[in-house]
Amino acid sequence: MSYPVVDGSRTILNFERGTESWPLASYESRFGYATAKAVLKGGKYQPAELLQEVKDSGLRGRGGAGFPTGLKWSFLPKDPEHPVILAVNADESEPGTFKDRVIMEENPHVLLEGIVLSCYAMGSNSAYIYCRGEYVPSLKRVHAAIEEAYAGGHLGKDIYGSGFDCDVTLHSGAGAYICGEETGLIESLEGKKGQPRIKPPFPAVYGAFGYPTIVNNVESIAAVTYIAAEGGQAYRAWGSDKSTGTKLFSVSGPVKRPGVYEVPIGTPFKTFLEDNCGGMLDGVGLKALIIGGSSVPVVTGETALKINMDYESCEEHGTLLGSGGVIVIGEGTCMVRSLMVMLRFYHHESCGQCTPCREGTGWIERIVTRIEHGDAEPGDIDELYRIADSMELRTICTLADAAAWPTKSFIDVFRSEFEAHIEKGCCPFGGTFPDHLNLRGGGVPQRRDDPEHAFIA
Amino acid sequence: MSTLEFSAAAKERLEWLRTRYPKEHQRALILPVLSMAQREFGWVGPEVVHFVAAQIPVPAIQVEEVATFYTMYNKQPIGRWHLQVCHNLSCSLMGAEIVLEHVEKKLGIARGETTEDGEFTLIGAECLGSCGTAPMMQVNDHYHENLSLQDVDDLLEKLRATPDQEANPADLPFGCGSGPSRALPRDGARLEAGRAVHVPHHGETPVTHEVAERPKEAAGQPVTDAWTPQGMAQ
Ligand SMILES: Cc1cc2nc3c(=O)[nH]c(=O)nc-3n(C[C@H](O)[C@H](O)[C@H](O)COP(=O)(O)O)c2cc1C
Ligand code: SF4
Ligand code: FES
């Protein structure tokens, strides 16, 4: 038996939808832990060889920044004085992103096996999964999976008699977006406010508890399981030279089948929208797209249809792949209002350490709010742009940039809408979002009976 | 003296938790133990802060810092049902604002408020990772997704009729010993015992500042007087 891949590309979500895919027995029937056994006990790879496979695979971090995973691991000190820690980032709070949740709810063991293999490659014996506190089903499933894995001998001391130890602890956050930032996560794990640290030193040198620490996204670590099973080259069979493998995209907005899909990276957005998402809801046109979670620049619907969902193509079209949180915006949506909603979030979530971020996020939120409410002054758009511009690259972490980029892109791409608000002295869209589901008419969401809809337990 | 005490299950969980973090870094226990305390006692007031600090032990100020930073710690009692309607972008695109307005009208309160009978606290939440199944609302531990207005009405009815035990499951299902906030039992039973904690009834403003006596363990630890409850702050 070899590692099962479903539908030609599903390596992480490699099970039938709607089945009980999360228990250990089910995972074992899908080649589960066979790779960990082959590596730890069978000597398939020495740690350095496995690290090389991960490098060869071209895997880039799926948490947002897209940093090459193997390269990150190689920054660990060679003979560390302290134990090495793997911190799995399951904080998933980027608006529009809900893919890690599906991994944790539907296939938690693929994450645990990925953790064992990653720890082996980086010389760590201890991993923490930092999961956002609101994710109760994820916490429950991962907790149950950890217990099963310990009982089954897949975690703990001397795994499979190989002499290798790996302890995994699930740690719950308590509601703070900033704890998704890697050093904010580390501070939070240490029992502090989740305020990001100034870098350097980087976590690989001085991380959680002052120990060398690697922070990786859930999806990145889950992908290691396939890479260790089939090799780095096999992973490259999908995607392009710089963007390899498969990627989970979480789709929201007025499409027929929103939800989470694993597809080869580089799939044209047009194909993805039509084939996977079933197209737009009837009668709704595609106005705009935010492809990588709310922090990335927005593009028009027209541009969106030219994008291939990989790192290069996104950059070419003025946006970023980010976390793969695909937010589809329908015709009739007010872009000023959309930006207002997003900025409320960033203002709320700023941790307050850096003045440009703490003051800037509030300032731009207030300006956009007054534009939306028809109370703006003529110079406001330029003022808004200027403030957003001056927030960029001046802060400890990139939350300030994550607020500034969308702001600038909304103005760049939809400037006329901002102007119309100011000229008319009110919101041309009536100060609300369109009612795509006809809720005001008492409608029932037209898509919820679709079994393919929202690939969530 | 503090009269708070963890249940047997929580005590056991705490001992286990101590073994999961490096010995010299037991401060890491603050979040899990605070979450556990919120589950046990309903909300995190000054007394709970001192109690948690004494369990670990760490200076109370460190616990207080954490309690005020994270939104899931309720710094004042909330309604029996904590309704959190996500109104971030993906949800707003699919009608979250309509749902929020509907709930406000139905319950006669604005977001951020609690109904007079102490049944419901309503807030507009930020992205809860349910964007593909919008509009959605988290109620205590549960997500309710793909909502229509009829679903909302039915749900509110059902919640009113649900007994307290189900609103406040006492189990601690997580390896981390932590989980999301749960609402305060309506009669405040677990909190009452000998302490000056006031459970709001019928439109009274919650009072959370009257700490009769500071726990001895924490005496001398700095506690700012301006310990502002901000549990419902947006
Ligand atoms: C404000 C902010 C929030 C973030 N939130 C998350 C998150 O929720 N999950 C995540 O995996 N990465 C998040 N990141 C990215 C992390 O800092 C880090 O780059 C990532 O976890 C590294 O994992 P990867 O290399 O596997 O992508 C966030 C970054 C910032 C600046
Ligand atoms: S940029 Fe904002 S969120 Fe990041 S450290 Fe500075 S104040 Fe905190
Ligand atoms: S935007 Fe509402 S759950 Fe993500």
Side-chain angles (χ1 to χ4, degrees), chain B residues 137-154:
Chain B
M137 155 155 77
Q138 183 177 1
V139 182
N140 295 5
D141 282 354
H142 293 281
Y143 279 19
H144 299 268
E145 302 172 307
N146 284 317
L147 293 169
S148 69
L149 299 190
Q150 186 61 49
D151 294 336
V152 173
D153 292 347
D154 296 347

Side-chain angles (χ1 to χ4, degrees), chain A residues 178 196 350-354 357 395-397 399-400:
Chain A
I178 196 59
S350 166
C351 85
Q353 289 189 99
C354 323
C357 174
T395 50
I396 296 176
C397 85
L399 186 133

Side-chain angles (χ1 to χ4, degrees), chain A residues 421-440:
Chain A
H421 278 72
I422 299 182
E423 275 159 30
K424 287 206 165 81
C426 69
C427 172
F429 296 86
T432 83
F433 284 100
D435 184 7
H436 293 309
L437 297 174
N438 189 24
L439 288 173
R440 283 211 173 84

